C-alpha cells in the first residue's frame, strides 16, 4: 500500500469535480511502482452512467499498456467500488484494490451504491482483495464535494 497513490487518486477526483465531470471519485492504477492508468468520474461530461473513476482508469491503463489484462496491478480509488466497478476490476485481473471512503460514505453524499450492495452483496467473500486506506483524507474530499454546487444523479 502506498499513501502517495491515494493522494494522486484524490487529486484526480478534485480535477473531475472542479470541472463538473461527475462525483468525487478518482482512481490511479499502479504496476511495478509506476502509475499506468488514471481516471475520474466522467458520468456527467460523457453522458455515460458507466464512466465511473475505476472504469475510466481501467480503460486508460489498458490503452496505455496495450492489453486487456491488468494482472499485477493495484488500484487506488477514493470511494469503495460499486458492484459494476468491483466486477470490472475482477474482469481486468487487478490484483488489489485500496479505497478511501466506504459504500456508506458514498451514500451520505447522495450516491446509491448501498442500494445495489444490498441487492448483490457478497463483499464478505472477497477476502483481502479490497482494503480501506486514507479514509480521513477521502472524507475531506467528499466534504468539499458536498460544499460545491453540483448536480445530483
Amino acid at each position: 500500500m502506498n499513501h502517495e497513490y491515494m493522494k494522486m487518486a484524490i487529486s484526480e477526483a478534485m480535477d473531475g469535480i472542479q470541472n463538473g465531470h461527475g462525483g468525487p471519485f478518482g482512481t490511479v492504477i499502479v504496476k511495478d511502482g509506476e502509475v499506468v492508468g488514471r481516471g475520474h468520474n466522467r458520468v456527467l461530461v460523457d453522458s455515460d452512467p458507466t464512466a465511473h473513476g475505476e472504469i475510466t482508469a481501467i480503460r486508460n491503463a489498458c490503452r496505455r499498456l496495450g492489453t486487456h489484462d491488468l494482472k499485477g496491478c493495484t488500484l487506488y480509488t477514493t470511494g469503495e467500488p460499486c458492484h459494476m466497478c468491483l466486477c470490472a476490476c475482477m474482469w481486468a485481473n487487478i490484483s488489489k484494490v485500496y479505497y478511501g471512503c466506504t459504500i456508506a460514505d458514498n451514500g451520505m453524499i447522495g450516491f446509491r451504491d448501498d442500494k445495489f450492495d444490498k441487492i448483490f452483496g457478497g463483499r464478505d467473500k472477497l477476502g483481502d482483495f479490497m482494503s480501506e486506506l486514507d479514509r480521513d483524507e477521502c472524507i475531506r474530499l467528499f466534504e468539499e464535494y458536498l460544499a460545491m454546487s453540483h448536480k445530483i444523479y
Side-chain angles (χ1 to χ4, degrees):
M1 111 181 90
N2 187 312
H3 301 280
E4 288 305 310
Y5 297 130
M6 186 59 82
K7 287 180 185 173
M8 289 180 198
I10 292 169
S11 177
E12 186 69 34
M14 281 300 295
D15 181 51
I17 62 175
Q18 288 172 342
N19 287 295
H21 292 172
F25 305 102
T27 304
V28 297
I29 298 174
V30 178
K31 185 170 187 173
D32 300 325
E34 177 187 348
V35 175
V36 296
R38 55 179 60 236
H40 58 262
N41 186 295
R42 297 183 54 87
V43 168
L44 298 176
V45 71
D46 290 350
S47 299
D48 179 355
T50 69
H52 292 192
E54 298 92 337
I55 302 290
T56 61
I58 288 169
R59 291 172 181 163
N60 180 254
C62 287
R63 276 192 306 271
R64 287 191 63 207
L65 296 174
T67 184
H68 63 280
D69 188 353
L70 299 179
K71 188 179 205 171
C73 290
T74 302
L75 184 142
Y76 294 80
T77 189
T78 56
E80 186 173 356
C82 69
H83 273 74
M84 176 184 70
C85 292
L86 180 56
C87 289
C89 290
M90 295 168 97
W91 276 112
N93 294 316
I94 288 174
S95 300
K96 179 74 176 174
V97 172
Y98 289 101
Y99 63 89
C101 292
T102 65
I103 291 291
D105 297 329
N106 297 348
M108 289 187 325
I109 62 168
F111 290 88
R112 304 175 285 155
D113 301 38
D114 56 337
K115 173 184 174 182
F116 298 106
D117 208 47
K118 287 176 186 159
I119 294 169
F120 298 112
R123 290 175 189 267
D124 57 322
K125 297 177 182 127
L126 296 174
D128 64 353
F129 180 65
M130 291 196 308
S131 297
E132 187 179 291
L133 176 69
D134 296 336
R135 181 171 178 259
D136 290 342
E137 290 82 355
C138 292
I139 286 288
R140 282 194 282 282
L141 167 73
F142 278 25
E143 289 169 347
E144 286 184 52
Y145 173 74
L146 277 176
M148 300 171 74
S149 174
H150 62 275
K151 182 177 182 175
I152 295 176
Y153 58 97

